Amino acid sequence: MSENQPESNLHGALKAWRAYLLLAAAQGLEVAWLVAASPSEPGRAVLGGLSLPRLVLLGLVVLAEALLLALLVETWRRRERAERRLGAILGWLRPERRWKMLLLAAVLALAGSLFLVTLTPEIEEPFTRAFFDRMLPLALWAAGLSGQTLIFGLFWGSGRWQRIPWPVGAPFLLALSAQVGVLLAWALVARPHIPQVSLRTGWNAMGAPLLAGQVLVAWLVGLCAWRWLARTGTPERRPAWLDVRKIDILLAALIWLAAVILWQSQPVLPNWFVTEPHYPSFEYFPSSDARAYDGVAQDVMVGAGFRFARTPFVRRPLHALYLLVLHALGGQDYEVVAFLQVLALALLPVACYFLAQRLHSRFAGVVTALLIIFREANALALADIITTSNVKLLMVDLVSALLVVIFAYLSVRWLSEGHQRPALALACGGTLGLSMLVRLETYAFILPLLGVAAVQFFGEKRPGLWVRQALVFALGIGLVILPWVWRNWHLTGMLFIDSPGHRQTLIQQRYGPFPTPSPKKPTPTPAANEAPGAQIAALRLDSAKTASLASALPLALPALGQQVDKDFFIYFLAHYLNSHMQTMLVFPTTWRAPDSLVAFAGHHSLERLWEDCCSPRSYVRRMPYWRKWAGDFPSQAIVPMLFNLLVLSIGVSAGWKRQRWAGILLLLYGVFYLGGNALFRNSGGRYLLPVDWASLVYFGIGLAQLSMGLYAWLSGRQVGEPVEASSSPAASAELRRGLYFAVALLIVGMILPVLENSFPDRYTQARQQEMLSAMLNSNLLSSVQRQDLQIFLAQGAVAYSGRILYPQFLPADDLESEAQYGPFDAAPSARLVFFLAGQHSGNYLLPLEQKFPAFPNASDGVVIMCPEAEKVETQVLAVGVFAADGAPRVMVLRAPFPPGRACPLPGP
């Protein structure tokens, strides 16, 4: 008997030791039976139907089982010896740190072995599957041993059973319960209705995921940064030049540089939003929504003003201004413009760093920033197989995300310092106003922010302060958006931000079949000699014309009761849960290292090892979420998802503990935004990007809190970070800052309407006539071709001048690439497709029989066409392209040329 162990305690410990050995031995017998009962591969049996590897494995299990039984028998037959052995074990575990390390090792072993058990049935590669099938009984035994070790270790200490203190609080339990509730709702409500709900427009597939290795790298880098920060936590251990502010600036600069280097190293991949290079310029061009957004900026640059689909109802006006700046700096080369956008959007992980740092720590900020960087790198690498936005697409989603992160940071600061910094409310409102000019749906953040502010300020018994600052917040929004609203009213006589009929059309699309639209009169088309500027002048409507313009909107909203079906709640909940689940599935739901390393032992290929363990392409092929997913989870996802839920719950609870209501503000933003999208039956995909970064923030906070908590638990000491001394600004200084903010926001808001009239009209009436005359008199046309075009012009054809952008020659029956990448449907004939920027901007198509002389993108041109058909863009007769000196350079005529010489033309 050990001298350090009381006899009564050791007697109780011996009983626990017997129970432990008995459970372990019982599991060992079951494992031995599983190994013996498992059939070997045909032709490899050497004894009793077992192969040599299985015989060796069975022998090892029998030896381990014999040892356990011997130790168990010893507790009865040689009790004193067993007590000495047990006393030595308990004595070795008596230092608290060793006991805690044992518990941590048991947790890791339990998670790892359970993952191997759930992974084995889903392995398809024969060599790897055979190995895991052999090792499955051992994995089961390891899970049982680590589980009982954890239980005995938690409830046994100091030689007696004891009740351990519960280390988590109510915020963690509430966060975990809410996420478990989402999973249950998904299984019970959404998953059974996926086949029905996903048939409607608006059910979008998953975006880009994070990989387990990337999360590990982000955590390790954050851990190193935390340890470095710990050494600089006090001024005497920090270089004189490195104050607290400079630490944040240094980390932010490194994050920005890492984002630029990693993102720029990824090539542009053709997808739905960017075309593959085609003759004649062999350049990348924006496509689909990206082409529409870029077309607005292109129209402004040629003096046609802000217009969308040839109307003044401009969606995403601030995004158009942003693209205009990119083109002003980078010209028309898509890759140059994409690089400039990378430089700008690399501020997104920087902003997330400051937000997570504000909510928790720099450790969390570094981890969050790296998660953002890696996720975006995966979006670039998977751009050709996943339809989502990335930093090299001219889309609004990530620009909106950057503005929303800045807004979230300011709103957190406002709630933390509102009584000292009322100017933050103004800046917060102004930033939200900017985000509304990029994606109008962000107005959904107003209610949760003002609601949380009310709870906080009223709880502090300051209702007057809440009212004043809410008004200042509203002023900030108004200073930004009211100039643009005035512009819309001045041009159309209606008050709106992006378009008066957009949401109505969307509701009709999502809540029922399209009604048959009433016949509309064709829009009058100006003759070739009509001044293009007259179109803008015609849009300056008086009140009498407003009703006629409103009636010309694509579709009118029917009575809501006629469109809302009985499954409204099911559809809403399914869409909301689809979005919520995708914000959770962005985190890795499998760990590929075990099976990929075993497979490497068979194929010995480093390239294949990298593809299997670390490639995002193999990950999306392996997991089902990017295919026709029915909502079920693979068994290998169970353990990783539980880990993800644990980390997210820790992050939310840590945010609450450190910042109270401000700490869960991001969570509320996500709930309201996803709920607003679900009302319009829209969910998932790129539409989550304005808010799904919030889950990455909480995950980064959770990893940091878990790491810091484990370190404090194991070492018994806390490690802090450098803290900046807080100071309250003087009232006069805060007033001046507020006035500066107000003036700045008003200037920013006025840029859009002022800029619209700042670009001179590049294609005036005189220049249009000059270009048309030069085209018709050019020796590039034969006399017959010249005569044919003159006959068409005399019979009603029109000529439009503009900048010819995105020219592509597509061969006949280019079904695959055109259906996936192009703005037009596939056609049986070859064709030239292009975008014309100017007073008659839009996509146009010219049928051809063969290639034509090459010309550069963004050339001046004239388009001769018939204007009377429904699909005007297919009525092109001829395109004349001009050189920089104004001389005709290329003439391309429709082929075969219409023999009737009359409009409208038959479809291509």
Side-chain angles (χ1 to χ4, degrees):
M1 181 185 301
S2 173
E3 296 178 358
N4 299 324
Q5 192 72 23
E7 183 176 356
S8 59
N9 288 348
L10 196 55
H11 178 70
L14 187 61
K15 292 183 179 180
W17 179 239
R18 283 177 184 154
Y20 183 90
L21 292 175
L22 183 60
L23 286 174
Q27 296 175 55
L29 289 174
E30 183 179 3
V31 169
W33 178 83
L34 289 174
V35 173
S38 301
S40 297
E41 297 83 353
R44 300 189 63 183
V46 296
L47 181 62
L50 297 178
S51 63
L52 182 60
R54 288 189 185 275
L55 284 174
V56 173
L57 182 61
L58 181 59
L60 293 175
V61 172
V62 170
L63 286 176
E65 180 68 12
L67 176 61
L68 289 172
L69 291 174
L71 291 174
L72 181 61
V73 171
E74 182 185 63
T75 61
W76 280 289
R77 301 194 59 178
R78 297 186 177 183
R79 179 170 176 175
E80 292 186 0
R81 182 176 177 179
E83 288 180 346
R84 286 196 301 270
R85 189 189 307 277
L86 182 59
I89 293 174
L90 294 178
W92 185 83
L93 288 175
R94 185 167 299 280
E96 188 176 12
R97 185 171 184 178
R98 290 181 182 175
W99 171 71
K100 292 177 178 178
M101 291 294 293
L102 175 66
L103 295 181
L104 181 59
V107 170
L108 296 177
L110 178 62
S113 54
L114 286 177
F115 174 71
L116 294 180
V117 171
T118 58
L119 171 66
T120 300
E122 297 180 349
I123 296 176
E124 297 178 354
E125 201 277 324
F127 176 86
T128 310
R129 178 61 182 268
F131 177 85
F132 274 86
D133 281 339
R134 293 191 191 102
M135 303 303 295
L136 181 59
L138 292 185
L140 289 169
W141 201 7
L145 290 176
S146 55
Q148 70 181 52
T149 301
L150 181 63
I151 293 173
F152 277 80
L154 284 174
F155 293 96
W156 181 266
S158 302
R160 59 185 177 84
W161 293 101
Q162 61 183 9
R163 183 177 180 273
I164 63 168
W166 189 241
V168 296
F172 170 81
L173 294 177
L174 286 174
L176 185 60
S177 300
Q179 294 185 86
V180 172
V182 168
L183 290 175
L184 292 175
W186 173 263
L188 299 176
V189 179
R191 189 180 60 82
H193 294 87
I194 285 179
Q196 175 188 3
V197 180
S198 61
L199 292 177
R200 286 181 173 267
T201 303
W203 185 274
N204 299 285
M206 270 281 295
L210 278 166
L211 308 180
Q214 294 170 336
V215 174
L216 178 62
V217 170
W219 174 71
L220 290 175
V221 173
L223 195 64
C224 293
W226 177 53
R227 297 303 300 165
W228 174 72
L229 289 168
R231 295 190 180 92
T232 60
T234 56
E236 58 271 12
R237 303 178 65 182
R238 191 165 60 232
W241 59 271
L242 189 64
D243 58 20
V244 176
R245 286 182 177 273
K246 289 180 180 178
I247 289 176
D248 286 326
I249 293 173
L250 176 62
L251 291 175
L254 291 175
I255 289 169
W256 180 86
L257 185 62
V260 171
I261 293 174
L262 187 57
W263 294 350
Q264 189 58 24
S265 66
Q266 300 285 339
V268 176
L269 295 178
N271 57 54
W272 186 259
F273 301 114
V274 58
T275 66
E276 57 185 345
H278 281 279
Y279 184 89
S281 58
F282 296 102
E283 299 179 40
Y284 295 104
F285 295 132
S287 182
S288 188
D289 293 30
R291 180 174 296 212
Y293 299 143
D294 194 53
V296 177
Q298 299 285 357
D299 283 345
V300 176
M301 287 192 290
V302 298
F306 284 101
R307 299 185 311 155
F308 188 86
R310 302 172 190 162
T311 73
F313 310 138
V314 180
R315 296 172 58 191
R316 331 298 196 202
L318 188 62
H319 184 251
L321 174 61
Y322 162 77
L323 292 178
L324 191 152
V325 173
L326 293 185
H327 282 297
L329 296 175
Q332 297 294 343
D333 189 314
Y334 186 92
E335 292 185 277
V336 174
V337 172
F339 172 67
L340 293 175
Q341 177 160 272
V342 167
L343 297 180
L345 294 183
L347 294 173
L348 177 60
V350 174
C352 288
Y353 162 78
F354 281 108
L355 178 57
Q357 183 264 346
R358 183 78 187 183
L359 288 174
H360 188 267
S361 63
R362 293 179 179 87
F363 186 177
V366 171
V367 174
T368 301
L370 290 177
L371 293 179
I372 295 286
I373 292 173
F374 287 139
R375 199 272 299 270
E376 192 53 37
N378 292 341
L380 289 167
L382 299 170
D384 57 337
I385 58 177
I386 292 181
T387 303
T388 187
S389 291
N390 63 57
V391 293
K392 292 192 175 181
L393 299 178
L394 305 185
M395 298 291 288
V396 302
D397 308 285
L398 289 171
V399 178
S400 174
L402 175 58
L403 290 172
V404 171
V405 173
I406 297 173
F407 160 74
Y409 172 78
L410 291 173
S411 60
V412 168
R413 290 197 61 181
W414 175 29
L415 292 182
S416 302
E417 309 173 23
H419 59 288
Q420 300 175 343
R421 305 284 302 278
L424 284 172
L426 186 69
C428 189
T431 307
L432 182 58
L434 293 175
S435 71
M436 291 168 61
L437 292 177
V438 174
R439 184 176 282 281
L440 183 60
E441 293 84 353
T442 56
Y443 65 77
F445 302 143
I446 295 176
L447 184 59
L449 175 58
L450 293 184
V452 168
V455 171
Q456 179 168 312
F457 287 121
F458 276 70
E460 297 172 355
K461 299 182 179 180
R462 297 180 177 184
L465 179 62
W466 178 83
V467 172
R468 292 192 300 271
Q469 297 210 7
L471 292 175
V472 173
F473 171 74
L475 175 63
I477 297 177
L479 289 173
V480 172
I481 67 172
L482 286 180
W484 181 253
V485 173
W486 175 87
R487 174 262 185 197
N488 294 334
W489 175 83
H490 181 65
L491 288 179
T492 68
M494 291 181 286
L495 297 176
F496 61 91
I497 295 179
D498 62 356
S499 64
H502 170 61
R503 298 299 176 269
Q504 297 175 354
T505 304
L506 186 63
I507 291 175
Q508 281 191 327
Q509 182 189 53
R510 302 295 165 80
Y511 277 84
F514 281 102
T516 303
S518 57
K520 294 185 295 184
K521 296 181 179 179
T523 303
T525 304
N529 59 356
E530 182 178 348
Q535 293 296 297
I536 291 295
L539 292 173
R540 301 183 182 278
L541 307 173
D542 54 27
S543 58
K545 296 180 181 178
T546 300
S548 63
L549 180 59
S551 66
L553 294 176
L555 294 170
L557 179 65
L560 191 60
Q562 299 174 3
Q563 294 293 330
V564 178
D565 56 34
K566 60 182 180 181
D567 295 324
F568 169 80
F569 177 75
I570 295 296
Y571 273 64
F572 169 80
L573 193 57
H575 276 287
Y576 176 81
L577 292 172
N578 180 42
S579 295
H580 194 108
M581 290 302 300
Q582 290 191 25
T583 63
M584 297 167 61
L585 293 177
V586 69
F587 302 107
T589 55
T590 188
W591 303 324
R592 294 180 290 167
D595 56 303
S596 59
L597 289 173
V598 172
F600 176 70
H603 57 67
H604 305 293
S605 171
L606 290 175
E607 182 179 356
R608 184 173 172 184
L609 173 63
W610 173 262
E611 177 71 17
D612 290 342
C613 80
C614 308
S615 167
R617 288 180 175 270
S618 66
Y619 179 85
V620 299
R621 287 195 300 265
R622 176 169 174 166
M623 308 310 289
Y625 321 123
W626 293 271
R627 301 189 292 274
K628 192 174 178 63
W629 186 41
D632 297 312
F633 296 100
S635 61
Q636 61 184 295
I638 296 174
V639 175
M641 285 189 66
L642 290 176
F643 172 77
N644 297 338
L645 294 181
L646 175 69
V647 174
L648 285 170
S649 301
I650 292 173
V652 172
S653 63
W656 168 263
K657 289 179 180 178
R658 296 215 178 192
Q659 296 288 344
R660 307 301 290 178
W661 286 104
I664 62 169
L665 196 56
L666 311 186
L667 183 65
L668 298 178
Y669 286 160
V671 169
F672 274 79
Y673 185 87
L674 300 184
N677 268 315
L679 283 175
F680 289 97
R681 294 186 175 176
N682 194 45
S683 61
R686 65 185 179 89
Y687 299 97
L688 303 183
L689 291 176
V691 295
D692 72 344
W693 49 265
S695 62
L696 301 181
V697 171
Y698 283 123
F699 196 83
I701 292 174
L703 285 177
Q705 180 65 31
L706 182 61
S707 303
M708 297 165 73
L710 283 175
Y711 180 84
W713 183 63
L714 292 172
S715 65
R717 59 191 182 92
Q718 301 283 343
V719 175
E721 293 182 356
V723 179
E724 182 181 0
S726 60
S727 59
S728 301
S732 58
E734 188 65 13
L735 178 61
R736 286 195 304 271
R737 187 179 289 114
L739 292 175
Y740 295 154
F741 277 154
V743 172
L745 292 174
L746 183 60
I747 292 174
V748 171
M750 293 180 64
I751 287 177
L752 285 169
V754 170
L755 190 67
E756 184 168 25
N757 299 314
S758 299
F759 286 85
D761 189 355
R762 183 177 177 85
Y763 304 101
T764 61
Q765 179 182 6
R767 189 176 183 195
Q768 178 172 310
Q769 291 287 357
E770 179 184 344
M771 293 174 69
L772 177 60
S773 177
M775 176 180 175
L776 294 176
N777 293 324
S778 171
N779 57 11
L780 297 176
L781 293 175
S782 67
S783 58
V784 174
Q785 292 172 332
R786 184 179 299 108
Q787 183 179 6
D788 288 341
L789 292 177
Q790 289 173 342
I791 291 174
F792 266 109
L793 288 170
Q795 294 186 357
V798 295
Y800 298 142
S801 298
R803 177 173 288 169
I804 295 180
L805 298 158
Y806 329 133
Q808 295 175 279
F809 176 77
L810 302 176
D813 299 321
D814 190 15
L815 299 177
E816 180 180 355
S817 64
E818 184 63 14
Q820 183 177 1
Y821 303 145
F824 302 98
D825 295 332
S829 63
R831 62 264 188 219
L832 166 67
V833 298
F834 61 93
F835 181 89
L836 184 71
Q839 297 297 335
H840 301 278
S841 62
N843 294 304
Y844 292 90
L845 180 151
L846 177 66
L848 298 171
E849 292 179 338
Q850 60 185 4
K851 287 187 178 180
F852 48 87
F855 62 89
N857 179 42
S859 298
D860 292 335
V862 174
V863 178
I864 299 177
M865 62 182 299
C866 291
E868 301 299 332
E870 182 178 353
K871 294 190 70 174
V872 173
E873 63 274 10
T874 67
Q875 298 288 300
V876 179
L877 292 162
V879 176
V881 181
F882 291 75
D885 59 3
R889 177 173 182 171
V890 175
M891 297 293 170
V892 188
L893 273 65
R894 190 184 189 96
F897 200 80
R901 311 298 192 271
C903 295
L905 304 176

